[in-house]
Amino acid sequence: MSLPESAPATLAPAPAPIIDAKDAANGVVAALVAYLLWGFLPLLLHPLSEAGAVLVVAERTVYSLILLAIVLAITGKFGEVRAFLRDGRKVRVLALSSVLLAGNWLLYVYAVDANELLQASFGYFINPLVNIAIGMVFLGERQNKWQTVSIGIAVIAIGIQAAALGSVPYISLGLAISFGLYGYFRKTAMLGPATGLFAETLMIAPVALAYIGYNLVTVGVGVHSDPTMLLLLVLTGPATAVPLLLFAFAVQRLRLTTIGMFQYLAPSIQFLIAVFLFHEEMNATRLVSFALIWLSLMVFSWDSFRRRPRAVAA
């Protein structure tokens, strides 16, 4: 799963621009659709478990690249990609973000295949708090009292989740950390969402194509012989690119605080799908861990909302 990268949570926000009411309404619709698509993505990935996580990610990469190339051709933004490729520093940074993105996709698809969607949901719930930690480590940011409280509650929740699983929740932590680091490095490249994602998929496309070729040689046509499976594989491209483009549209028309409130929609939908459709185990201990992470996010969101008027007025 490729969710939107979030700004480091403790950065002081810039003065809020004046947002037209119609633009804001369009932004809300775009954000809502984007997060709904991310939330329901497991329904597309689950039937593809026969293909295997690696092949799904490889084909997701190729079909995303094709769709993004069409978008860039229509919008005339290939010049941005050429300019980017001449900047060695940006190429190195984006190469690292590409690896993190591919790893995040692979881990998420594996979680769906392995009936561990609850772990994936938990991972994206703790992602905003991981962003705070990344800001502290890489940017020297200091958290305030309520952020400290929210992080403390989250640490307890992770401990309880580990107790419920009988092991460290590697999928949850892996998704949260890989996506948090991806967002951090991705921002330093200073590329637009469509241009940046195209450049990233372009970098990992050779590996993806090589694996697809290897799979065809060693396994044969396999799942590609089934028209339904082939269609689902093709749809992983739009399922990756379209929500990101909608999100980029929304970000330009909404306050970051408003966008922040939407980010819990996708993992909430995934949680419900895991419990009621995929019938993953939800025991009392695991439920307590989710209740605590929800409490942690309530504290975090309340603090962000509380500080917003002061920042805007400043």
Side-chain angles (χ1 to χ4, degrees):
M1 175 184 179
S2 164
L3 291 173
E5 55 237 49
S6 302
T10 53
L11 286 177
I18 298 174
I19 301 173
D20 178 80
K22 183 177 180 181
D23 278 350
N26 290 336
V28 167
V29 172
L32 180 61
V33 174
Y35 280 100
L36 285 173
L37 289 172
W38 275 316
F40 286 106
L41 182 61
L43 297 181
L44 172 63
L45 298 178
H46 196 262
L48 289 170
S49 57
E50 182 185 344
V54 179
L55 181 62
V56 171
V57 170
E59 303 231 6
R60 182 182 186 181
T61 299
V62 173
Y63 291 122
S64 297
L65 184 66
I66 293 171
L67 179 59
L68 288 164
I70 294 171
V71 171
L72 293 185
I74 293 173
T75 57
K77 291 188 175 181
F78 271 115
E80 293 182 17
V81 178
R82 288 191 291 269
F84 155 77
L85 293 174
R86 291 193 292 267
D87 189 326
R89 187 195 67 82
K90 287 186 177 181
V91 169
R92 289 191 294 272
V93 170
L94 212 66
L96 180 55
S97 74
S98 300
V99 172
L100 289 166
L101 180 62
N104 182 270
W105 285 358
L106 185 59
L107 188 56
Y108 182 77
V109 175
Y110 167 78
V112 176
D113 288 352
N115 293 317
E116 292 288 356
L117 184 57
L118 279 174
Q119 273 213 66
S121 170
F122 191 82
Y124 285 115
F125 273 126
I126 65 177
N127 179 249
L129 305 174
V130 168
N131 288 338
I132 295 177
I134 289 173
M136 292 167 57
V137 173
F138 291 98
L139 302 175
E141 297 170 355
R142 299 179 63 182
Q143 74 276 20
N144 63 32
K145 177 180 67 175
W146 291 111
Q147 288 173 339
T148 302
V149 170
S150 66
I151 291 174
I153 296 172
V155 169
I156 295 172
I158 292 169
I160 293 175
Q161 181 86 185
L165 294 171
S167 63
V168 176
Y170 293 109
I171 293 175
S172 300
L173 293 175
L175 287 171
I177 293 171
S178 64
F179 195 67
L181 289 173
Y182 164 73
Y184 170 77
F185 287 110
R186 175 66 175 77
K187 283 180 180 299
T188 63
M190 300 298 290
L191 280 171
T195 309
L197 185 60
F198 176 82
E200 286 168 339
T201 52
L202 184 65
M203 288 183 173
I204 58 179
V207 177
L209 288 169
Y211 182 82
I212 293 171
Y214 169 80
N215 188 266
L216 288 172
V217 170
T218 58
V219 179
V221 178
V223 294
H224 300 91
S225 62
D226 183 338
T228 301
M229 292 289 282
L230 181 58
L231 175 62
L232 292 177
L233 285 169
V234 172
L235 288 176
T236 60
T240 298
V242 171
L244 182 65
L245 296 175
L246 286 171
F247 176 77
F249 177 89
V251 164
Q252 295 172 353
R253 291 160 176 80
L254 296 175
R255 300 178 189 274
L256 288 179
T257 306
T258 306
I259 288 289
M261 295 302 102
F262 280 101
Q263 70 181 316
Y264 307 128
L265 180 60
S268 297
I269 294 171
Q270 293 163 11
F271 174 85
L272 295 174
I273 289 174
V275 174
F276 295 107
L277 292 182
F278 295 171
H279 305 294
E280 293 187 21
E281 181 184 1
M282 173 55 74
N283 55 37
T285 305
R286 205 168 193 183
L287 185 58
V288 169
S289 73
F290 271 95
L292 283 174
I293 204 65
W294 292 329
L295 175 61
S296 172
L297 291 172
M298 288 173 62
V299 172
F300 171 79
S301 299
W302 171 80
D303 177 65
S304 298
F305 183 80
R306 177 183 64 87
R307 290 186 295 115
R308 182 179 62 86
R310 298 181 183 180
V312 171

